[in-house]
Amino acid sequence: MKAVKALLLSGDREKIVFFAGVSRAREVYILAANYLRTLPWQDDADLAKQIATFYQKAKAIDHLVAFYESVARAEIDEFRDYDKGLAALENAIAALEKAGGGGDAAANAKLASLRQRAALVGRFVETRARLKIAPDAQASLAAARDLLADATAAARRDGDAATASVAVRPGDVYAMMIEHVYARGDANGACDLLEEMSREGVVVGPYVDDHVVAAATRDAGRTLSFLKGGGVRDSGLVQGVTLGIDGGVVDEEWSPPPPPEDFDDDDDDDA
């Protein structure tokens, strides 16, 4: 263990990965994966997969699940990519299920929480798809309203959904609805939603593109209450970045680590 700890202090990623691979010791796998998590894995698909693989080989289910949750949180909070966030949550669920999760009260609670959050994120993905097609605009908006109510309730229950758990952010649901309503030519409806969003205490800036706000207010001939006395910048709106219902600027090379394989691999001996 002294050797691997000295290697970790060196920060030589290639040597750390190599040593962990040849040692095949559970503790070394975990130490190596924990170190790799301190690196910018969000920007490196190979690194993220390596972390998941080491936790898998160590049969460190709690570490693996926590990592997948971190991946989901990064996808949703940083990139607004709910599809990849959902994939990561599903990987976490698969890891627990394959490891025989649900065998005790704590495992049951964790699995139930993951499934609940995955279901909510899945509803966001489904609702967004319905709004894009919009064969029945009213029904699609009603589904978005239901999702908003549940996302808001979850955020209030968790205290801070961005850090307490992986969840659908109410601001993203508002943004999805606003952009849909405006795209269908209802500038007044979009402004009404923007006003509601602000009244509910959801800061507009991080979620709705400033060009959408400017266009909606112009077309409706309205000045929104949270913009009075200032301009678009005073609402905290992000300048020059489009963060629409399709998500933010996402690295196309990045994808969540693959789901775990069989945890009963006899080749991976514990130390």
Side-chain angles (χ1 to χ4, degrees):
M1 293 302 293
K2 289 183 179 180
V4 70
K5 289 180 180 178
L7 195 55
L8 292 174
L9 290 174
S10 75
D12 190 323
R13 172 182 164 182
E14 290 186 5
K15 289 183 179 179
I16 291 169
V17 170
F18 176 78
F19 185 85
V22 297
S23 74
R24 301 173 64 188
R26 183 176 188 274
E27 290 84 354
V28 176
Y29 280 138
I30 293 174
L31 284 172
N34 288 347
Y35 168 76
L36 294 177
R37 284 190 67 176
T38 67
L39 304 179
W41 54 264
Q42 297 92 336
D43 304 318
D44 189 333
D46 290 335
L47 178 58
K49 291 175 183 177
Q50 188 67 71
I51 294 168
T53 297
F54 279 169
Y55 283 143
Q56 173 190 333
K57 288 181 178 295
K59 300 181 177 67
I61 307 305
D62 290 344
H63 286 79
L64 182 61
V65 169
F67 177 61
Y68 279 136
E69 287 185 282
S70 295
V71 172
R73 186 175 296 111
E75 292 296 349
I76 291 173
D77 291 353
E78 298 178 27
F79 303 112
R80 299 180 75 184
D81 193 323
Y82 279 82
D83 295 275
K84 291 181 179 178
L86 177 59
L89 286 173
E90 289 174 341
N91 286 348
I93 292 170
L96 268 180
E97 290 177 338
K98 288 188 177 183
D104 56 49
N108 273 328
K110 185 64 175 178
L111 196 54
S113 174
L114 285 169
R115 286 171 175 162
Q116 184 178 42
R117 284 179 275 160
L120 196 60
V121 174
R123 284 174 58 195
F124 180 94
V125 172
E126 180 181 354
T127 302
R128 180 183 59 191
R130 288 181 62 182
L131 287 174
K132 283 183 179 179
I133 301 171
D136 184 343
Q138 291 304 315
S140 299
L141 282 173
R145 275 288 180 191
D146 289 341
L147 175 62
L148 176 61
D150 290 343
T152 300
R156 289 172 177 166
R157 182 178 63 246
D158 293 340
D160 182 358
T163 57
S165 65
V166 181
V168 173
R169 302 186 302 180
D172 285 329
V173 184
Y174 270 117
M176 177 171 63
M177 296 168 63
I178 289 164
E179 291 171 19
H180 170 77
V181 168
Y182 178 72
R184 291 181 64 83
D186 186 359
N188 265 309
C191 287
D192 289 342
L193 284 168
L194 283 164
E195 291 280 25
E196 176 187 329
M197 184 179 183
S198 180
R199 285 196 307 272
E200 290 297 318
V202 181
V203 179
V204 173
Y207 302 101
V208 184
D209 183 69
D210 57 343
H211 300 298
V212 173
V213 177
T217 53
R218 179 197 64 222
D219 294 351
R222 292 171 57 174
T223 300
L224 302 179
S225 60
F226 60 87
L227 292 179
K228 290 179 180 178
V232 170
R233 287 184 182 273
D234 296 304
S235 67
L237 297 178
V238 179
Q239 299 294 312
V241 180
T242 300
L243 297 175
I245 60 175
D246 292 325
V249 179
V250 179
D251 181 358
E252 293 298 331
E253 297 300 320
W254 159 257
S255 61
E261 299 173 359
D262 188 356
F263 282 94
D264 296 325
D265 186 351
D266 293 333
D267 291 336
D268 298 326
D269 299 325
D270 290 354

